[in-house]
Amino acid sequence: MNAYTEPYKDLTKNAIDIAQDLKSLREEALAINYYNQRINTCTDESLKQIFIHNRDEEIEHASMLMGWLKLYDNGWEKQLKNFVTDAKVTDVQ
């Protein structure tokens, strides 16, 4: 997938940075999904522990990228504050 839908030369540095962040976030989410599936199907406990470790590192990376978006892309701070809480998803109206 091309990260840019508009001509690159017309994009601001911030727009390019955000596109790079979102592309990286998508890649981290995909890696988390892969590791979750491997954890679910792995029969060797020592290998499963490696997959768990790797998945948790990918979650850390995704969280760091979301933190950057919170600081540098309008709207993320408000929405993360509204929806990333200790509340259960079913509690969100």
Side-chain angles (χ1 to χ4, degrees), residues 66 70 75-89 91-93:
M66 290 176 68
K70 180 181 173 187
W76 280 85
E77 181 173 15
K78 177 184 175 191
Q79 296 304 329
L80 287 171
K81 185 177 180 181
N82 286 340
F83 294 104
V84 181
T85 67
D86 292 334
K88 294 180 179 139
V89 172
D91 294 339
V92 176
Q93 298 287 334

Side-chain angles (χ1 to χ4, degrees), residues 11 15 21-22 24 26 29 33 35 39 46-47 49 54 57 62-63 70-71 73 75 77 79 82 84 90 92-93:
L11 297 174
D21 184 283
L22 291 170
S24 293
R26 183 180 307 116
N33 182 41
Y35 283 119
I39 291 163
S46 61
L47 181 57
Q49 291 305 310
N54 291 351
E57 283 192 351
S63 297
K70 180 181 173 187
L71 294 175
D73 189 13
E77 181 173 15
Q79 296 304 329
N82 286 340
V84 181
T90 56
V92 176
Q93 298 287 334

Side-chain angles (χ1 to χ4, degrees), residues 21-81:
D21 184 283
L22 291 170
K23 187 172 191 302
S24 293
L25 183 56
R26 183 180 307 116
E27 293 164 353
E28 298 296 344
L30 188 58
I32 292 164
N33 182 41
Y34 289 161
Y35 283 119
N36 275 333
Q37 291 181 40
R38 291 175 188 148
I39 291 163
N40 186 259
T41 59
C42 186
T43 59
D44 182 278
E45 188 58 35
S46 61
L47 181 57
K48 182 183 279 192
Q49 291 305 310
I50 294 169
F51 290 154
I52 290 169
H53 171 84
N54 291 351
R55 187 241 4 240
D56 291 349
E57 283 192 351
E58 302 299 345
I59 292 170
E60 178 186 23
H61 301 159
S63 297
M64 292 167 67
L65 290 162
M66 290 176 68
W68 185 90
L69 284 169
K70 180 181 173 187
L71 294 175
Y72 294 98
D73 189 13
N74 293 335
W76 280 85
E77 181 173 15
K78 177 184 175 191
Q79 296 304 329
L80 287 171
K81 185 177 180 181

